[in-house]
């Protein structure tokens, strides 16, 4: 599990999907191979059935020529109709043999085709002599030629029958092989599909356990953090992972530690603020008391100021009266000075007179 947890999430998904794709590709390739094998087997079956049919046709044409020649012997006459019919049958047999040899794909079938061609070539002179003898009226010679040709005709029929049986046996073997291949392909496809389903389920379980379950735990942890619960740490197993879940767990742990330190710093700041607030409250109380005392002093000073103002007003009035009196005194002094001056002048005159 440790090795799986160290694989990145993208690589995990790629591995699961890649494995599934490879498995499906293998199943598709197996299906295509099976289809191709079945098509090839079907073509082989058609060819072998065709060769078996051609061998049966050669056998039938050979029997027909034998019947035609026997009719000539019985009638003791090689009529133009029977000769033409015999030539047409041989022509059809030659065409069938040529097609058989063209389709021959095994050494046995090739040899069978060559043997039938040799027998047909070997029986041709006897047939020609028989027709010539019948035309000349030599029935006994025609019978001898017929019996000589019948040996080759029987051998040709037997060889055609052997070729047909060989092809039918091959058809049975090919059909059995095709059925075995089809069964193998079907079993492989069924097992492959079951394996693909099991692999998909296993991959889903691995992805769920490796991704969804840790992410659910991470979301739950984040919910606790959002609710203010910082007492829990991210599990060591999650932090030890090498994938994105491990990165998330380590980031959550770093965030949790940072939040704890932040809250601790805030708590210390709150304590300092509380102490300062208490001191400020005491100082404020003292300042309030001092303010009241200052206010009382201010009232006293205000009353004294009012009294002083009243006294200053009285003094100002007295000073004004004094100023008026001083003006009168000044006038009287000036008059007195003038009088004294006149007295001085008069005294000076009296002194001079006295002198």
């Amino acid at each position: 599990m440790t090795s799986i947890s160290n694989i990145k999430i993208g690589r995990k998904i790629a591995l699961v999907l890649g494995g599934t794709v490879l498995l499906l590709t293998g199943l598709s390739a197996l299906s295509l191979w099976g289809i191709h094998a079945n098509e090839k087997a079907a073509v082989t079956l058609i060819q072998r059935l065709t060769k078996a049919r051609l061998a049966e046709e050669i056998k039938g044409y050979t029997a027909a020529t034998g019947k035609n020649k026997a009719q000539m012997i019985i009638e003791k006459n090689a009529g133009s109709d029977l000769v033409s019919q015999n030539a047409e049958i041989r022509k059809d047999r030659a065409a069938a043999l040529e097609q058989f040899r063209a389709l021959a794909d095994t050494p046995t079938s090739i040899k069978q085709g060559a043997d039938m061609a040799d027998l047909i070539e070997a029986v041709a002179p006897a047939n020609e002599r028989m027709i010539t003898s019948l035309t000349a009226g030599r029935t006994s010679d025609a019978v001898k030629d017929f019996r000589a040709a019948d040996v080759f005709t029987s051998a040709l029929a037997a060889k055609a029958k052997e070729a047909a049986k060989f092809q039918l046996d091959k058809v049975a073997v090919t059909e059995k092989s095709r059925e075995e291949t089809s069964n193998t392909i079907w079993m492989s496809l069924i097992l492959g599909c079951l394996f693909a389903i099991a692999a998909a389920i296993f991959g889903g379980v691995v992805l769920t356990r490796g991704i969804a379950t840790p992410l659910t735990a991470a979301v739950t942890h984040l919910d606790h953090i959002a609710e203010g619960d910082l007492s829990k740490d991210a599990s060591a197993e999650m932090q030890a992972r090498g994938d994105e879940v491990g990165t998330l767990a380590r980031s959550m742990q770093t965030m949790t530690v940072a939040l704890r330190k932040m809250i601790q710093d805030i708590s210390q700041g709150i304590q300092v603020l509380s102490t300062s607030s208490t001191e400020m409250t005491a100082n404020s109380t003292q300042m309030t008391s001092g303010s009241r005392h200052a206010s009382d002093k201010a009232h006293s000073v205000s009353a004294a100021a009012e009294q002083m103002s009243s006294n200053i007003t009285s003094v100002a009035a007295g000073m004004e009266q004094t100023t008026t009196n001083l003006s009168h005194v000044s006038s009287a002094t000036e008059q007195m000075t003038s009088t004294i001056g006149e007295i001085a002048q008069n005294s000076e005159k009296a002194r001079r007179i006295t002198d």
Side-chain angles (χ1 to χ4, degrees), residues 104-124:
D105 56 352
T106 61
T108 302
S109 60
I110 292 172
K111 185 176 184 304
Q112 289 170 347
D115 291 342
M116 286 187 289
D118 292 340
L119 289 171
I120 291 173
E121 185 177 355
V123 78

Side-chain angles (χ1 to χ4, degrees), residues 152-225:
F152 294 104
T153 302
S154 299
L156 180 58
K159 183 60 69 173
K161 182 179 180 180
E162 178 187 348
K165 184 177 182 301
F166 175 78
Q167 297 300 328
L168 291 176
D169 291 341
K170 287 293 184 180
V171 166
V173 173
T174 304
E175 179 63 21
K176 183 178 179 181
S177 177
R178 188 188 66 80
E179 289 179 356
E180 291 177 353
T181 302
S182 298
N183 292 332
T184 302
I185 292 172
W186 275 109
M187 290 299 298
S188 300
L189 289 175
I190 292 172
L191 292 176
C193 290
L194 292 176
F195 182 75
I197 293 172
I201 293 174
F202 176 76
V205 171
V206 169
L207 290 178
T208 300
R209 290 183 178 180
I211 299 175
T213 302
L215 287 179
T216 303
V219 170
T220 303
H221 191 188
L222 290 174
D223 290 337
H224 291 162
I225 293 175

